Structures are given as C-alpha cells and as structure tokens.
Amino acid sequence: MARVHYKNIVRSVAGVIGLTTAIKIQERGGYSVTILAETFPTDPKCITYASHWAGAHHVSAAPADDLRQQRLERETFDTMWGMSAPGGEAEGCFLRAPQTEYYTIKEGNPDLLSFSSDFRRLEASAFANVPEAMSAVSFSALNINTPAYLPYLLARFLKCGGRIVRTFVQHIVQVLEGGVETFTNTNSGIQPVDALVICAGLGARTLGGVEDKDMYPVRGQTVLLRAPWVEGGRSLVIESGSKTYIIPRRGGTVIVGGTRVADDWYPISRPETTIDILARGLALYPQIAPPSVRNEREPTIEDLKPLVIEEGCGLRPARKGGIRLQSEWVNVPGSERLMVPVIHNYGHGGYGFQTSWGSASAAVDLLEDALAKGSDA
C-alpha cells in the first residue's frame, strides 16, 4: 500500500459507532483504517462493551428542537431499512415488525415517526387499558438483532480491507507518536498516522488526551426471552424515554426492558430489577406469555421465568450536551510542528444504533474537511 495514495487512519474502540465509522471511512476509498480496541463483537459479553447489551430497535426519539440528531437518525433509518431488504446480505440482522408506542406524556414531536412505514395514530380505545397512556401510534419498526449485527459489521470492515489490533490505549499520544506499530510488537517501523478518530464511548471519560468529564453512564438492564410467538413490539414512553419495551428479534427471541439510571455503575444484573422488568413487560403486553397459558388463565411472572435466556445490563455512554462530533488538531510528540487531526464521535447515550450511520457520515465529513484544509485552516 503506497503511502502516497492511502491515508493511514486509526480509530479507537469497536462498538457500533466505531465499527460503522470505520466502515464508512474504509469503503470511501483512499484510506487504510485500523481499529484499536480491547473488545470486539465476537468476544464474550462484558460490562465495558455497551453495544453487546443493546435492545435494539430504530424508533426515533430525537427532541423536537434537536435537528442534528433528527438528521442522524433519519439517515441511519434509511440506510438500515435498505440493509434489511429481503435477500440482502444483512437481512438476517434485522426484523421489520409492527410497533406500538404508548405515550404517558404529550408527544414532543408528533411528526417524528411519520416517515416510518404504515404510521398511524391510534384511537383512544386502543390504549384505554394501558395505565397513564395519553396517546399512541403504530408503525413498522426496524428491530436489530445485535448479536448478529455487530459481527456482521466487523466482517464487513475486514472484507473491505480494514485492520484490527487488540490492545489498550492509555493516551492518544501513544498512537500519534508511535502509530499502530506501537501496539503490534513488530519491528516493521513506524508508519505515521494521518488522522485519529475517537469513538471511545464511555471510555472517553478516562482516555488520556480526551478525558471528557461530561461523559457519564446511564445503566440499562434487560431480560432476554425465548418467545417466538411474539410478532410485534411495544413501548411505554415517559419523560426520559421508553420505560418499558418489548422488542422481538429475528430467530424468536424477545428483549424485555428496561431501566435508565444515570451514574449507576453496577456491573451485573440486579434480581429485583429483573422481576420488576418482567412484571412491567407482562402488564404492558401479556402476549409475551406462552399462548398455552393465556388460553387457560391470566399469565403471571412465574410463567415467564422458564422463558428467560439471560439477564443483562449495560452502561449507555451518555454525555452532557449530547453527541460530540468535532475535529481538532493535536501536536505529535517528538516533532516540532507536525499536527494530526483528531475526530471525535462519541456520547450517543442510548441512541448509538439508531444514529450510527448518520454519525459515521458526519465524522467522515469532518475527517475529509480537516485533511483537505490542513492544520493552518
């Protein structure tokens, strides 16, 4: 690979934002992208890798006055809808399913979901039995099977020529000064880095050279059920977002959630929270219980327990002020005037999957603008 033709781009962490951004850059052409990360999608699940634990579905929830997030979510939806098309290579990562949203608050942006297929507002009779519900809408949602989707992204990145290195980066200067070779234990010589893209999620709080104290965790806990009879999703929306949600996945599993607790770092599931989640899920959508039970009597939590595959929790990488999409120039240690652009793309909170492709496009624009203008711009 001739250095005169290819820009050497390094990016940090391999969650959904990092993988999507790396793909966007690598597939653009003219770049040689390397991902530096401790954890990859094919590794066992752990608390430090939030993407493993996501629900997830694309149901836009951008504030009415946040036009940027609305654009990011819409581009992501359009991209994923195309990826989920029948016969496509990523079809198995998605499930197009009917979705009903019940609102216990006044809808902040009544038209936010109207671009979704089959969107319609429901009559009051449709949510009369949902406690505290003030309104409801239905549409076709895009549910994401994260255990399949994340490995798909990694494979796609590698297929288009990307490179991965498993390592722990303490400070960005380690990359800027020594390049990828600092972490590979090879004697191939230092290849200068043309740009560094930071998609560190919650790690941006402690990564040297970034240390963004506006980052904080929002802990979420969910329960995964084996319930292939569930064909549609449900969400009960409160002021802070979806309080209770049912997300069916392709393959017959169903995510039931959840919680949103800021600054809660507890790394494993709390049994009492699992019981609460199952109780809320059953109250919202009794159809998660086996049909054989529902045909004879009213189901209880005890009927759901045999369906549990796993309990999970993750730390959403939230940020005061919202997503950081920004470029800056950083001096390379050991050089007099050499500067390298650093692109920041992190702080997506619980909306990483549904903003991923839009955020990746924005990061690519920042990267190409920086490289085109140079450090003196």
Side-chain angles (χ1 to χ4, degrees):
M1 217 174 260
R3 294 280 298 126
V4 68
H5 294 302
Y6 290 88
K7 293 290 185 181
N8 189 20
I9 311 298
V10 178
R11 59 148 316 281
S12 173
V13 183
V16 66
I17 295 298
L19 288 167
T20 309
T21 303
I23 289 170
K24 269 280 189 178
I25 299 172
Q26 185 69 30
E27 291 185 348
R28 194 87 157 194
Y31 298 102
S32 176
V33 182
T34 302
I35 295 176
L36 302 178
E38 272 191 284
T39 308
F40 289 92
T42 50
D43 293 344
K45 291 182 176 180
C46 63
I47 190 64
T48 58
Y49 189 84
S51 295
H52 266 157
W53 299 107
H57 59 183
H58 195 299
V59 176
S60 292
D65 59 351
D66 194 337
L67 298 181
R68 182 183 71 166
Q69 184 165 330
Q70 291 177 34
R71 289 194 299 270
L72 300 181
E73 291 188 359
R74 180 59 188 272
E75 179 179 344
T76 302
F77 177 84
D78 290 343
T79 300
M80 286 183 167
W81 192 261
M83 294 170 68
S84 68
E89 65 174 15
E91 179 189 6
C93 301
F94 300 94
L95 176 66
R96 297 178 180 181
Q99 174 75 19
T100 303
E101 297 276 298
Y102 301 104
Y103 296 93
T104 64
I105 56 172
K106 183 178 179 180
E107 297 171 57
N109 187 349
D111 298 320
L112 188 61
L113 293 166
S114 60
F115 65 80
S116 301
S117 177
D118 305 324
F119 176 85
R120 64 189 181 94
R121 299 188 177 282
L122 302 183
E123 299 293 335
S125 59
F127 53 89
N129 295 326
V130 180
E132 301 182 40
M134 298 172 56
S135 63
V137 298
S138 67
F139 52 94
S140 293
L142 195 58
N143 299 348
I144 307 161
N145 186 358
T146 56
Y149 183 63
L150 292 166
Y152 160 78
L153 291 178
L154 178 59
R156 177 171 164 178
F157 172 68
L158 295 172
K159 184 178 179 180
C160 67
R163 178 188 180 194
I164 61 173
V165 175
R166 187 185 298 273
T167 190
F168 173 66
V169 179
Q170 297 170 298
H171 199 291
I172 63 172
V173 299
Q174 294 173 320
V175 183
L176 297 179
E177 181 177 358
V180 173
E181 290 70 29
T182 303
F183 306 95
T184 59
N185 296 318
T186 64
N187 296 316
S188 57
I190 295 175
Q191 296 292 319
V193 172
D194 294 300
L196 176 62
V197 183
I198 305 295
C199 303
L202 195 57
R205 180 183 174 93
T206 55
L207 176 61
V210 179
E211 298 162 285
D212 190 338
K213 299 308 179 186
D214 286 332
M215 292 295 301
Y216 65 97
V218 176
R219 185 180 180 276
Q221 185 166 323
T222 60
V223 185
L224 182 66
L225 304 181
R226 170 66 63 183
W229 52 85
V230 176
E231 297 180 347
R234 298 289 188 274
S235 293
L236 184 66
V237 182
I238 62 174
E239 188 71 36
S240 60
S242 297
K243 177 182 180 181
T244 304
Y245 48 87
I246 312 293
I247 306 175
R249 290 174 171 175
R250 184 181 291 270
T253 58
V254 177
I255 284 283
V256 184
T259 62
R260 295 175 184 270
V261 186
D263 295 311
D264 184 350
W265 293 86
Y266 193 64
I268 60 175
S269 298
R270 294 185 175 104
E272 65 275 16
T273 302
T274 294
I275 296 300
D276 176 63
I277 289 171
L278 291 176
R280 286 189 281 117
L282 187 60
L284 178 64
Y285 197 38
Q287 287 83 350
I288 61 176
S292 59
V293 173
R294 289 186 278 113
N295 290 338
E296 295 184 359
R297 57 176 172 79
E298 185 175 338
T300 68
I301 294 177
E302 294 303 314
D303 298 312
L304 299 182
K305 288 182 178 179
L307 310 179
V308 174
I309 298 173
E310 70 174 357
E311 304 165 38
C313 69
L315 304 179
R316 302 178 180 96
R319 183 174 182 270
K320 298 173 184 176
I323 301 169
R324 185 182 183 188
L325 275 165
Q326 183 183 19
S327 64
E328 64 175 330
W329 287 86
V330 178
N331 179 257
V332 176
S335 67
E336 292 186 4
R337 295 194 301 175
L338 181 59
M339 306 283 283
V340 169
V342 175
I343 312 300
H344 300 278
N345 183 16
Y346 62 81
H348 296 73
Y351 307 110
F353 281 85
Q354 69 191 53
T355 58
S356 55
W357 289 100
S359 290
S361 292
V364 172
D365 290 342
L366 288 171
L367 171 67
E368 297 199 324
D369 184 66
L371 292 174
K373 293 180 178 179
S375 60
D376 295 329

